[in-house]
Amino acid sequence: MTADLQKASLSKRIAAFLLDFILLTILITGVATVITAVTNYDTYVQAADARQKYFESEYDVRFDITEEEYLALSEEKQQLYTDAYQKLYKDEEFLTAYNKMISLILLILSLSVFLGVIVVDFIIPLFLKNGQTLGKKVFGIGLVRVDGVQLSTLQLFVRTVLGKFAIELMIPTYIIIMLFFNLANIIHIAIVAILLIVQVVCIAVTKTNSAIHDLMAGTVAIDISSQQIFRSTEELLEYTKKIHAERADRSGY
């Protein structure tokens, strides 16, 4: 038992996504700036940098070099680099600051992205109704259940937190951070690639052209101006009965 779905066009969905993404980026940046200041993140960065510069000075080396630059060094310089590197990563003051820095990066990113997504994809749609973000509102897109009934608050929450935040945003974000700090391996890269492929396949092959977050929540993006939205399953049932009765009358039975 479903209603005819007036799916939103891909071009409108992309345009709405870009507008929402700009808003999300602004919110994430603002929240991250506040949390960075509150947690004194810069203090730990400066402490780690100071210890790094100390060992660079002591051993007359530079840590921020490429592999090619390292291989171009003399054997003596390579040994000094190795000794300095080992000393640095055994230094308690550096390790304390460095580990704290990584922990804060994860905390700042997690909180800022979470709060940004909650505002853009959950709180705003609760006020605008029918799952509309600001981007969706501008381009005439809404969200409904796959049967055409209004989506519930729980569905919107699942779509936002489990779908968008946890799977589509934070998994790639954490792996990118791991890559930056040389903590990731081929398995982590494969996870991101698989996630991207699954996302593309879902949009391409599902009847509703739905992304992972919509499939998880059982929602679909529709053209708000032409879609009939039912307030409940009972209202949809009554509408279906009415349509069947009208068809029966027209057929002469």
Side-chain angles (χ1 to χ4, degrees):
M1 180 179 61
T2 59
D4 291 332
L5 292 174
Q6 306 300 315
K7 295 183 297 182
S9 67
L10 186 58
S11 59
K12 281 188 176 183
R13 290 171 62 183
I14 292 174
F17 166 79
L18 291 175
L19 182 55
D20 287 331
F21 182 76
I22 292 171
L23 176 60
L24 179 62
T25 301
I26 293 172
L27 286 172
I28 289 174
T29 302
V31 173
T33 301
V34 172
I35 299 176
T36 297
V38 170
T39 57
N40 293 318
Y41 168 78
D42 290 340
T43 301
Y44 299 104
V45 174
Q46 293 167 3
D49 285 344
R51 295 308 293 168
Q52 180 172 314
K53 290 177 181 177
Y54 169 78
F55 284 102
E56 285 179 333
S57 176
E58 281 288 302
Y59 288 84
D60 191 26
V61 296
R62 190 165 53 89
F63 288 121
D64 57 339
I65 60 175
T66 64
E67 184 178 355
E68 290 76 13
E69 290 174 322
Y70 172 79
L71 294 175
L73 297 174
S74 65
E75 289 187 10
E76 181 181 356
K77 276 290 187 180
Q78 287 182 0
Q79 186 59 52
L80 284 173
Y81 180 94
T82 301
D83 292 342
Y85 191 84
Q86 290 176 346
K87 285 286 186 179
L88 176 67
Y89 279 87
K90 289 180 180 178
D91 182 71
E92 289 188 11
E93 189 175 340
F94 170 78
L95 288 176
T96 298
Y98 184 77
N99 290 332
K100 188 70 175 180
M101 187 175 69
I102 293 178
S103 298
L104 285 176
I105 287 174
L106 295 175
L107 175 65
I108 292 167
L109 271 175
S110 298
L111 281 178
S112 58
V113 172
F114 177 76
L115 291 174
V117 170
I118 283 292
V119 170
V120 172
D121 287 283
F122 185 72
I123 294 178
I124 290 177
L126 284 180
F127 282 99
L128 295 180
K129 308 300 183 183
N130 294 322
Q132 287 189 299
T133 60
L134 288 178
K136 287 182 173 64
K137 182 73 172 178
V138 169
F139 292 98
I141 299 173
L143 294 175
V144 294
R145 286 175 9 187
V146 292
D147 58 2
V149 176
Q150 283 181 339
L151 74 165
S152 66
T153 302
L154 178 59
Q155 282 178 298
L156 185 60
F157 184 83
V158 169
R159 183 181 188 274
T160 301
V161 177
L162 297 184
K164 282 201 168 184
F165 172 73
I167 294 178
E168 295 177 350
L169 287 176
M170 290 318 298
I171 290 178
T173 298
Y174 282 143
I175 292 177
I176 289 171
I177 293 173
M178 293 173 69
L179 283 170
F180 183 80
F181 288 101
N182 295 318
L183 299 174
N185 54 41
I186 190 64
I187 295 177
H188 298 108
I189 297 173
I191 290 173
V192 175
I194 291 170
L195 184 59
L196 178 61
I197 292 170
V198 170
Q199 185 75 291
V200 172
V201 169
C202 287
I203 294 173
V205 306
T206 56
K207 290 182 179 180
T208 53
N209 303 120
S210 298
I212 293 173
H213 54 266
D214 280 315
L215 292 174
M216 290 184 66
T219 56
V220 59
I222 47 88
D223 187 326
I224 201 75
S225 63
S226 58
Q227 176 68 50
Q228 182 172 2
I229 301 175
F230 301 93
R231 288 174 295 180
S232 65
T233 303
E234 290 72 23
E235 185 176 310
L236 171 60
L237 179 60
E238 289 300 318
Y239 173 80
T240 305
K241 288 180 179 178
K242 178 182 176 182
I243 294 299
H244 287 167
E246 290 175 352
R247 288 177 180 172
D249 288 340
R250 287 197 299 269
S251 63
Y253 292 101

